[in-house]
Amino acid sequence: MTGTRVEALLVRRATLRIPFPAGFEERLVGHTVTAVTRRAKYLLATLSSGETLIVHLGMSGWFRVERAAGPEFDAEPGETDDDPKHDHVVFRLSSGMLVTFNDPRRFGLMDLAARGELTSHKALRDLGPEPLSAEFDGAVLARACHRRKTPIKVALLDQTVVAGVGNIYASEACFEARISPKRKASAIATSTGAPKPQAQVLAAAVVKVLERAIAKPTARFKVYERAGTACPRRNCEGTIRRIVQAGRSTFYCPACQR
Ligand SMILES: [Zn+2]
């Protein structure tokens, strides 16, 4: 979409998870997409108007990109195996492409942030730092955790602590750092919020497991969904255990994670 102009927009319903913003069509049509970026799980398309289109895929949303057969939206679409009744929004671009948002469960959303109001938008304002950015380190993690009585693994899932760590990698990061997922989050910080050494170790572990997952998405998890198997850490005799924390499965080695 970058560098293309939105020539037409088809919005087939009034609402996804939330209603489309007022004037959605007029605020998009005729404007050029100058950049497409991401913050946490939000896709951000910056427009030549200065506004930013915010998109979340929800549970089942996805985009289909195909060449338009003609100038009309009802021109024959490409071969797809999805159900077109879930095609909720179609962008016709100056490049001749159609970009279609399909979302059977409709937990996705689209909104627009006015110029200068992106970081204060309610979807983004409370998000913690991106874990793979320079803004994330042990000191930042410790400060976010030092008043939290929740277990450290639960804190890692809190998107206000750090954005983008999901249930799998929260377990994997605790294993990498040799920290028990049951430890109090505040234990990685001093009473004033300064980082203890474990905060640095855990922050580095978060970065390491995410970078490893991006580099090799099919790699086996070290502990996730491996309950009952031997701990993969060399010289550890432990057995991976599954527990439930805040309604989510956690996997860890009780022998080497303290
Ligand atoms: Zn172990």
Side-chain angles (χ1 to χ4, degrees):
M1 295 176 86
T2 307
T4 67
R5 193 176 61 253
V6 180
E7 296 213 313
L9 187 74
L10 182 63
V11 182
R12 289 207 171 96
R13 47 188 312 119
T15 178
L16 292 172
R17 190 171 80 206
I18 59 171
F20 289 97
F24 188 59
E25 191 178 340
E26 303 85 83
R27 290 161 73 183
L28 284 165
V29 172
H31 298 293
T32 298
V33 177
T34 56
V36 178
T37 57
R38 177 194 63 78
R39 174 79 171 103
K41 291 182 184 174
Y42 293 93
L43 305 173
L44 306 174
T46 312
L47 303 166
S48 53
S49 62
E51 294 203 292
T52 302
L53 172 65
I54 301 170
V55 179
H56 195 291
L57 300 176
M59 297 293 285
S60 58
W62 63 292
F63 281 101
R64 190 171 71 241
V65 181
E66 61 205 331
R67 187 156 292 284
E72 302 304 323
F73 282 119
D74 59 1
E76 197 171 323
E79 282 276 307
T80 55
D81 56 4
D82 67 280
D83 188 338
K85 78 166 183 275
H86 301 302
D87 287 353
H88 306 306
V89 182
V90 186
F91 298 81
R92 186 153 56 76
L93 302 173
S94 56
S95 58
M97 304 303 284
L98 294 179
V99 175
T100 300
F101 181 68
N102 178 283
D103 185 4
R105 295 179 67 180
R106 296 200 306 272
F107 286 123
L109 69 84
M110 290 193 191
D111 202 357
L112 285 163
R115 185 191 297 270
E117 291 179 4
L118 181 63
T119 54
S120 58
H121 188 278
K122 62 182 181 299
L124 307 181
R125 66 186 174 206
D126 295 326
L127 289 171
E130 291 286 325
L132 301 184
S133 75
E135 278 98 72
F136 179 70
D137 61 17
V140 168
L141 184 61
R143 199 153 52 239
C145 287
H146 93 281
R147 290 187 196 281
R148 287 171 193 266
K149 303 302 171 204
T150 57
I152 187 66
K153 185 263 183 171
V154 175
L156 286 177
L157 291 180
D158 184 334
Q159 301 298 295
T160 69
V161 171
V162 55
V165 178
N167 194 44
I168 293 173
Y169 295 105
S171 280
E172 296 288 299
C174 288
F175 176 76
E176 184 67 39
R178 298 176 178 245
I179 292 173
S180 168
K182 297 193 286 189
R183 272 197 162 221
K184 260 188 201 166
S186 57
I188 66 167
T190 68
S191 57
T192 58
K196 288 184 182 173
Q198 279 168 326
Q200 307 287 4
V201 171
L202 184 56
V206 166
V207 172
K208 187 172 176 182
V209 299
L210 292 178
E211 286 184 338
R212 193 160 59 202
I214 291 165
K216 208 175 171 195
T218 58
R220 290 191 68 183
F221 304 125
K222 298 277 178 71
V223 292
Y224 188 80
E225 292 204 325
R226 299 195 61 171
T229 67
C231 175
R233 183 164 275 132
R234 192 196 299 254
N235 301 325
C236 180
E237 305 279 297
T239 301
I240 305 305
R241 183 180 294 171
R242 173 186 178 273
I243 57 173
V244 175
Q245 296 179 293
R248 313 289 304 274
S249 292
T250 299
F251 297 85
Y252 75 111
C253 174
C256 64
Q257 289 179 252
R258 294 293 170 162

